[in-house]
Amino acid sequence: MALQETRNTNPKNLIPGATGDWEMVIGLEVHAQVASRSKLFSGASTAFGGEPNENVSLVDAAMPGMLPVVNEECIRQAIRTGLGLKARINKRSVFARKNYFYPDLPQGYQISQYDQPIVGEGTIVVEVGPDRDGRFEEVRVGIERLHLEQDAGKSLHDQHPTMSYVDLNRSGVALMEIVSKPDMRSADEAKAYISKLRTILRYLGTSDADMEKGNLRADINVSVRRPGEPFGTRCEIKNVNSIRFAGQAIEYEARRQIGILEDGGTIDQETRLFDPGRGETRSMRSKEEAHDYRYFPDPDLLPITFDDAYVEAIAATLPELPDAKRARFQAEYGLSAYDADVLVSEREVANYFEAVARGRDGKQAANWVINELLGALNRTGHAIEATPVFAHQLGELIDLIADGTISGKIAKDVFEILLSEGGEPRRIVEERGLKQVTDTGAIERLVDEVVAANPDKVEQARAKPTMIGWFVGQVMKASQGKANPQAVNALLKARLGIE
Amino acid sequence: MSELTALTIAGIREGLRRKDFSAVELTEAYLAAIERFNQAFNAYVAVTPERALEMAGESDRRIAEGEARALEGVPLGIKDLFCTKGIHSQAASHVLDGFKPPYESTVTANLWRDGGVMLGKLNMDEFAMGSSNETSYYGPVVNPWRRRGGNAQLVPGGSSGGSAAAVAAHLCAGATATDTGGSIRQPAAFTGTVGIKPTYGRCSRRGIVAFASSLDQAGPIARTVRDAAIMLRTMASVDPKDTTSADVEVPDYEAAIGESVKGLRIGIPREYRVDGMPEEIEKLWQAGMDWYRAAGAELVEISLPHTKYALPAYYIVAPAEASSNLARYDGVRYGLRVPGDDIVDMYEKTRAAGFGREVKRRVLIGTYVLSAGYYDAYYLRAQKVRTLIKRDFEEAFQAGIDAILTPATPSSAFGIGEKAGGDPVEMYLNDIFTVTVNMAGLPGIAVPAGLDPAGLPLGLQLIGRPFDEATLFRAAQVIEDSAGSFTPEAWW
């Protein structure tokens, strides 16, 4: 594969070294577990967390004479993902055997795809940022290919003093390997890429992309070069299972390579491992030790073929994807790029937002969802699917602000009640007497009290009208937050003679 | 040989129907024959008398109730390559020591569904790699045939040597076999039996220990063309658990037997007239042509120009697939394990002890031809050759040829040990007339057609269009009718 330069050097991405600037070049191979009930070539369950070797068929254990039968659902998921990556769908693809010995690889080969993958070139648009000025940079990262392959089992080395045990539950589970072009130039871009890819996969429902369960893992290729020079020698960092680690591994690896080059050394092409404990990468095997996988087409499996109609039928079921949704949110609800980006990062959050925003002020809905709801979920460690405050409750709360029943401040208190106790916002307001005081007589009395008690402040406010804010705060406090702030403001101005 | 074990499958069917004997009596006769004579041939590696009698008992019940199935009560031997539930299924390899699968191959399941009776598991070349049955971990199989006046032990051919010897020595009425490069047809020819390798995809490969997945195909070895037709009808099926099996209707092959071959166009490929071909093979082939001419078929000389590349290409493709297929025998999950200092040491010791010489040779060849830097020169080129071989046949069939007549083997059976020591290529040349058929995925049948001057059987091969086994049975019957059938003189 000839690597193509696709980007102009952005000075922002350069790393200053002792001898001048350096630029990183990053490409990723992301392994995402396909969302499917059964494995790629057997009927065994893909359920997570079973007893060791609970979900193992005769095929998964590579019993003699057992043959793989492709699970069509996995094919559909791969096509779906390819469509989501705006990639070329190959109507004919071939499964190939990747041969190597390992105890958790029962067949002695992994069934994968080699020179004829199911999905070809595509693109992911990644928003990197925001920078200090709140701006996002749009980076287009090319997709080289997506192919299907089997996951391996797991070796357990801590069960017996001298032996290792093997758990084949994962053996044969379908993975999509999504290979990017070497289009990323910073750790932030790589992190944003993984994050965006994860978002797309979740939108599509083709992978839960849960990195904690190991359902999304990245092999990261890193090299460095002087700006404008050809690509340098790369090292591959295997099996990174968090976005944060990916960033750390890239930063470390780039600095390691720069250090070697600046000392007059050369980079050896090799496979490395990231040690999150030490925050460094370590050599795993050199190019010379690299396996010769002896790929060849798997004679047990016919080529995968389908027609345009098959692809079109899948395309017709595709959901609105994050890029389109973000653009629509900005246009339809007048949201900032940042807010729209936060809201579309998870499909369920976007759906929640839309349920709240429908028929209401979009910006206000976005503020409530982002600042209050997501903030609260973040604090409590709940996923959006497990939110204690439902969209109709939040919507009702916003309506209560809009019609002047409560102030924004009281609304936040009500939100806390919803969070901890649940209930209907309107009823909570009524039962707890939180209704805003709009009775001017009552407010006037409070204004009078505050003004009378603070003659010195009155003098200051007349000289400096912004001081009125202090008075508003005092009156609100005296009303236990229930006074209508606009009314307080108007009455104070009149009372103090401020225009 | 008792009278009962001398019966053909068609004869058994008739005898059971007429209640001349019971299925249990028949099975007992076979079990007695195996008990007495198996040691002379080493054809069985495992005998299953209890299972056999139980199945025969069930057959008798069905017959009594008038519910006889297609193979009711027919005692069969099963090549050790087929997985049979709870029974020795070790591909005649040390590496599968003690392996008794918890599942049944689709082909044998079909046989039991139709009332077949399992006598036991038959010897074979280890992992079906060999042409003489000398690579078996259980030792060589002895051919029931001897040269006239001699008592040298001859090979039965391979890899289905146990199947062919057992059928010829009347230690089973019919046997399952498999054919990757000639492993049904060559032993059939060496033992005076009928063997058909059906079209690739006709029989499910599920539960058959894989040698070379794109070439392996199961088929029967039997005493007559009709018996082979009866067995294949039961063995063949489309199988959702083998996606290379074909969803093509399985016709009543027996119905094709006896149909006239008048007007049938029989191709005679000029490339099969190889240098140094023994005179008796040439004469046999000529005799075959004469029989067809006499039966009203039309003989057409044809050309299959890429034939000469078939054997070398085969010995790239088959070992390549085998090297990968045999990777699972690593000592981790089943079969032999030789302990080692670490996992790699365990692998190496297990595989060193578990595989025989020929298997190791092919794993090495296969690993080599798939290696980086050699793949294009060997494997890829061999696959291109394969495409050309296939096209040769397609062109012949498009030109109106119905079946192609060739010798089955370049010689009659040879002595045990005669070719085992030296150049492996000498052994590989046994497959020269048969490998092309596997490479093209076509059906091929070997039919006994005569004896050589030493009194050993020789076979002719008919090659057919894809999924047109029916025409092969029809045409093969002409050879059988003209040549007669061949039974070895009992020396055991």
Side-chain angles (χ1 to χ4, degrees):
Chain A
M1 180 182 73
L3 298 177
Q4 295 279 312
E5 184 66 71
T6 56
R7 297 185 59 188
N8 296 321
T9 299
N10 183 341
K12 193 181 82 182
N13 290 331
L14 296 183
I15 307 168
T19 59
D21 285 343
W22 296 89
E23 184 181 38
M24 306 184 195
V25 175
I26 304 158
L28 281 100
E29 294 163 22
V30 170
H31 293 85
Q33 182 176 328
V34 175
S36 65
R37 298 164 72 90
S38 52
K39 296 182 180 181
L40 182 50
F41 297 113
S42 83
S45 165
T46 57
F48 180 77
E51 287 296 306
N53 297 309
E54 191 181 347
N55 301 320
V56 183
S57 76
L58 296 168
V59 175
D60 307 325
M63 299 301 279
M66 290 297 105
L67 300 170
V69 175
V70 73
N71 173 356
E72 200 185 334
E73 178 59 13
C74 297
I75 301 292
R76 280 194 294 266
Q77 292 288 52
I79 296 172
R80 217 172 146 74
T81 307
L83 292 169
L85 301 177
K86 307 207 174 4
R88 194 183 68 240
I89 307 299
N90 293 326
K91 283 179 278 178
R92 183 180 193 279
S93 67
V94 172
F95 281 108
R97 293 185 185 178
K98 179 180 181 178
N99 295 283
Y100 65 97
F101 282 91
Y102 206 69
D104 59 25
L105 185 76
Q107 294 163 140
Y109 53 85
Q110 176 194 36
I111 305 177
S112 180
Q113 295 191 298
Y114 186 51
D115 52 1
Q116 299 175 72
I118 188 161
V119 175
E121 291 182 318
T123 314
I124 294 184
V125 179
V126 175
E127 293 74 38
V128 186
D131 61 12
R132 256 175 261 129
D133 306 321
R135 278 194 301 260
F136 287 84
E137 188 194 356
E138 203 167 79
V139 175
R140 300 176 72 80
V141 178
I143 298 295
E144 175 69 28
R145 58 184 282 165
L146 175 155
H147 69 250
L148 283 166
E149 63 183 29
Q150 296 176 297
D151 204 351
K154 196 164 69 175
S155 294
L156 310 169
H157 302 295
D158 54 0
Q159 310 280 310
H160 186 279
T162 58
M163 312 277 258
S164 292
Y165 284 26
V166 176
D167 175 7
L168 297 179
N169 280 349
R170 286 192 77 95
S171 168
V173 165
L175 302 178
M176 292 181 281
E177 179 171 327
I178 302 161
V179 182
S180 84
K181 292 181 183 291
D183 285 355
M184 286 154 279
R185 298 289 178 269
S186 71
D188 282 344
E189 290 184 4
K191 285 161 73 180
Y193 168 83
I194 300 173
S195 175
K196 183 63 177 281
L197 180 57
R198 190 176 58 176
T199 299
I200 294 172
L201 294 172
R202 288 182 176 168
Y203 264 67
L204 292 166
T206 55
S207 173
D208 74 4
D210 187 335
M211 295 188 93
E212 278 176 22
K213 288 185 189 162
N215 294 350
L216 191 82
R217 317 189 283 267
D219 297 343
I220 308 170
N221 286 286
V222 180
S223 64
V224 298
R225 61 171 174 184
R226 297 288 189 190
E229 287 191 354
F231 292 141
T233 302
R234 68 193 162 88
C235 291
E236 182 180 16
I237 310 162
K238 277 279 182 201
N239 251 331
V240 180
N241 61 4
S242 95
I243 293 180
R244 194 161 54 90
F245 292 163
Q248 290 171 3
I250 291 167
E251 295 286 0
Y252 176 88
E253 180 59 19
R255 297 204 178 275
R256 186 188 71 86
Q257 292 184 15
I258 291 168
I260 292 171
L261 293 170
E262 293 200 324
D263 288 346
T266 52
I267 304 302
D268 296 324
Q269 187 175 333
E270 61 182 358
T271 303
R272 300 179 70 84
L273 273 181
F274 178 66
D275 178 344
R278 294 169 175 269
E280 61 186 32
T281 64
R282 274 202 305 272
S283 183
M284 193 172 140
R285 57 175 177 259
S286 70
K287 193 183 178 186
E288 288 69 36
E289 294 167 308
H291 294 297
D292 178 354
Y293 290 119
R294 307 189 308 281
Y295 280 100
F296 74 107
D298 192 327
D300 286 333
L301 292 160
L302 301 173
I304 302 296
T305 56
F306 42 81
D307 57 14
D308 288 322
Y310 190 81
V311 179
E312 282 156 20
I314 294 169
T317 67
L318 239 51
E320 182 184 36
L321 290 170
D323 288 348
K325 204 182 273 291
R326 193 185 57 239
R328 183 168 63 78
F329 280 8
Q330 288 184 251
E332 209 168 290
Y333 300 107
L335 304 188
S336 69
Y338 178 83
D339 285 357
D341 207 54
V342 171
L343 291 173
V344 303
S345 69
E346 279 189 63
R347 192 179 174 182
E348 288 71 20
V349 171
N351 290 344
Y352 187 103
F353 161 73
E354 286 221 88
V356 175
R358 201 164 295 128
R360 301 192 175 93
D361 178 55
K363 279 185 185 169
Q364 197 179 10
N367 284 338
W368 273 92
V369 171
I370 294 169
N371 299 328
E372 304 309 320
L373 180 82
L374 294 183
L377 293 178
N378 207 19
R379 265 200 320 279
T380 56
H382 281 111
I384 182 80
E385 293 86 346
T387 177
V389 179
F390 297 108
H392 72 269
Q393 292 172 297
L394 184 53
E396 195 179 309
L397 188 63
I398 292 171
D399 290 343
L400 292 174
I401 305 168
D403 66 17
T405 309
I406 55 172
S407 67
K409 188 171 178 308
I410 291 291
K412 285 182 186 176
D413 297 340
V414 176
F415 183 80
E416 288 302 320
I417 295 166
L418 291 173
L419 209 52
S420 53
E421 300 167 34
E424 294 305 312
R426 199 172 291 278
R427 180 171 295 177
I428 292 169
V429 168
E430 273 166 21
E431 285 176 356
R432 309 198 183 196
L434 299 173
K435 225 170 163 175
Q436 189 161 248
V437 178
T438 45
D439 170 2
T440 38
I443 298 174
E444 234 165 329
R445 275 195 296 280
L446 294 173
V447 166
D448 289 343
E449 281 168 28
V450 170
V451 168
N454 297 286
D456 51 335
K457 291 275 191 323
V458 171
E459 283 309 310
Q460 292 172 18
R462 285 193 174 126
K464 191 184 174 206
T466 50
M467 270 293 291
I468 196 167
W470 183 86
F471 282 95
V472 173
Q474 292 303 307
V475 176
M476 289 303 291
K477 199 171 163 189
S479 77
Q480 292 165 310
K482 286 187 280 185
N484 180 319
Q486 280 83 42
V488 173
N489 207 41
L491 287 167
L492 269 169
K493 277 183 177 169
R495 182 76 175 74
L496 299 174
I498 298 170
E499 263 317 300
Chain B
M1 290 187 211
S2 78
E3 267 178 59
L4 284 181
T5 60
L7 289 170
T8 61
I9 292 172
I12 290 169
R13 190 171 58 187
E14 184 61 13
L16 287 172
R17 195 181 58 77
R18 286 203 313 245
K19 308 216 164 43
D20 292 349
F21 49 86
S22 71
V24 168
E25 283 166 345
L26 178 68
T27 295
E28 281 170 342
Y30 270 109
L31 290 172
I34 294 166
E35 175 77 21
R36 277 184 71 194
F37 305 122
N38 185 49
Q39 58 179 358
F41 307 108
N42 194 29
Y44 281 88
V45 293
V47 187
T48 55
E50 285 173 16
R51 179 83 189 274
L53 289 169
E54 184 194 316
M55 292 171 104
E58 169 68 14
S59 288
D60 282 333
R61 272 190 294 283
R62 294 236 184 193
I63 292 163
E65 286 163 16
E67 287 171 4
R69 297 161 290 180
L71 278 171
E72 199 65 76
V74 175
L76 300 171
I78 303 300
K79 188 177 183 179
D80 201 32
L81 203 64
F82 291 78
C83 288
T84 44
K85 194 173 177 176
I87 293 164
H88 190 292
S89 303
Q90 302 178 18
S93 177
H94 187 29
V95 87
L96 273 168
D97 267 5
F99 182 64
K100 292 184 170 62
Y103 49 90
E104 187 78 28
S105 83
T106 300
V107 165
T108 50
N110 288 346
L111 291 170
W112 315 143
R113 178 204 61 208
D114 278 1
V117 169
M118 175 154 79
L119 294 171
K121 301 303 284 286
L122 294 163
N123 205 344
M124 53 181 281
D125 278 302
E126 184 183 5
F127 283 107
M129 297 178 191
S131 305
S132 64
N133 219 304
E134 293 170 287
T135 73
S136 168
Y137 177 66
Y138 301 97
V141 173
V142 175
N143 194 331
W145 289 84
R146 287 180 170 180
R147 293 191 186 103
R148 196 174 292 128
N151 58 7
Q153 292 193 327
L154 304 182
V155 304
S159 67
S160 311
S163 303
V167 170
H170 296 187
L171 299 187
C172 60
T176 66
T178 60
D179 189 317
T180 304
S183 282
I184 290 175
R185 292 158 290 159
Q186 184 252 20
F190 276 15
T191 56
T193 55
V194 176
I196 180 165
K197 180 205 91 74
T199 313
Y200 184 80
R202 200 38 127 172
C203 292
S204 167
R205 292 185 296 113
R206 182 175 192 266
I208 300 173
V209 175
F211 162 15
S213 311
S214 73
L215 300 159
D216 295 346
Q217 189 54 210
I221 291 180
R223 291 182 212 157
T224 64
V225 172
R226 181 177 297 275
D227 284 4
I230 294 170
M231 279 188 73
L232 182 60
R233 190 179 185 199
T234 287
M235 290 168 73
S237 65
V238 62
D239 183 352
K241 290 181 171 174
D242 171 8
T243 48
T244 64
S245 70
D247 191 5
V248 179
E249 198 202 334
V250 181
D252 179 359
Y253 294 126
E254 215 184 337
I257 294 171
E259 276 179 34
S260 166
V261 296
K262 206 164 193 157
L264 210 65
R265 288 164 63 88
I266 305 282
I268 309 297
R270 71 171 73 96
E271 290 79 8
Y272 281 60
R273 199 160 272 121
V274 293
D275 284 345
M277 189 155 84
E279 197 193 327
E280 62 263 27
I281 301 289
E282 178 70 49
K283 276 169 67 179
L284 184 84
W285 197 6
Q286 195 54 55
M289 295 179 218
D290 293 343
W291 295 328
Y292 280 113
R293 207 175 282 117
E298 187 188 341
L299 297 176
V300 185
E301 186 172 276
I302 61 166
S303 176
L304 302 169
H306 297 93
T307 300
K308 65 178 172 219
Y309 304 115
L311 197 67
Y314 170 84
Y315 274 97
I316 290 167
V317 174
E321 294 181 11
S323 70
S324 177
N325 282 334
L326 270 57
R328 64 187 58 196
Y329 307 107
D330 57 5
V332 173
R333 295 170 310 288
Y334 42 73
L336 183 72
R337 175 188 291 182
V338 180
D341 299 335
D342 56 26
I343 184 71
V344 173
D345 194 41
M346 190 277 276
Y347 286 153
E348 289 176 357
K349 285 182 170 145
T350 299
R351 289 167 67 84
F355 293 142
R357 267 180 74 85
E358 185 59 29
V359 171
K360 282 178 194 158
R361 188 193 333 264
R362 296 198 197 189
V363 168
L364 287 173
I365 293 171
T367 303
Y368 179 81
V369 298
L370 290 175
S371 302
Y374 298 99
Y375 181 86
D376 289 1
Y378 291 107
Y379 186 79
L380 207 59
R381 186 172 290 195
Q383 289 293 18
K384 285 177 183 161
V385 168
R386 193 170 175 180
T387 305
L388 294 173
I389 290 166
K390 213 174 195 168
R391 189 184 302 160
D392 283 355
F393 281 108
E394 280 164 9
E395 282 169 5
F397 290 128
Q398 269 161 23
I401 297 299
D402 296 300
I404 295 165
L405 180 71
T406 78
T409 57
S411 75
S412 59
F414 45 88
I416 290 177
E418 206 173 290
K419 294 188 179 182
D423 184 356
V425 175
E426 205 188 326
M427 188 69 86
Y428 298 167
L429 284 169
N430 267 285
D431 297 333
I432 192 148
F433 299 132
T434 47
V435 285
T436 50
V437 179
N438 300 78
M439 294 291 267
L442 300 172
I445 190 169
V447 196
L451 300 176
D452 74 353
L456 295 178
L458 292 170
L460 286 172
Q461 172 179 237
L462 284 160
I463 304 165
R465 299 168 185 269
F467 300 102
D468 189 16
E469 290 84 2
T471 296
L472 293 188
F473 286 120
R474 168 159 70 127
Q477 190 62 40
V478 170
I479 298 175
E480 188 173 284
D481 290 345
S482 310
S485 61
F486 302 87
T487 309
E489 209 169 298
W491 47 262
W492 54 89

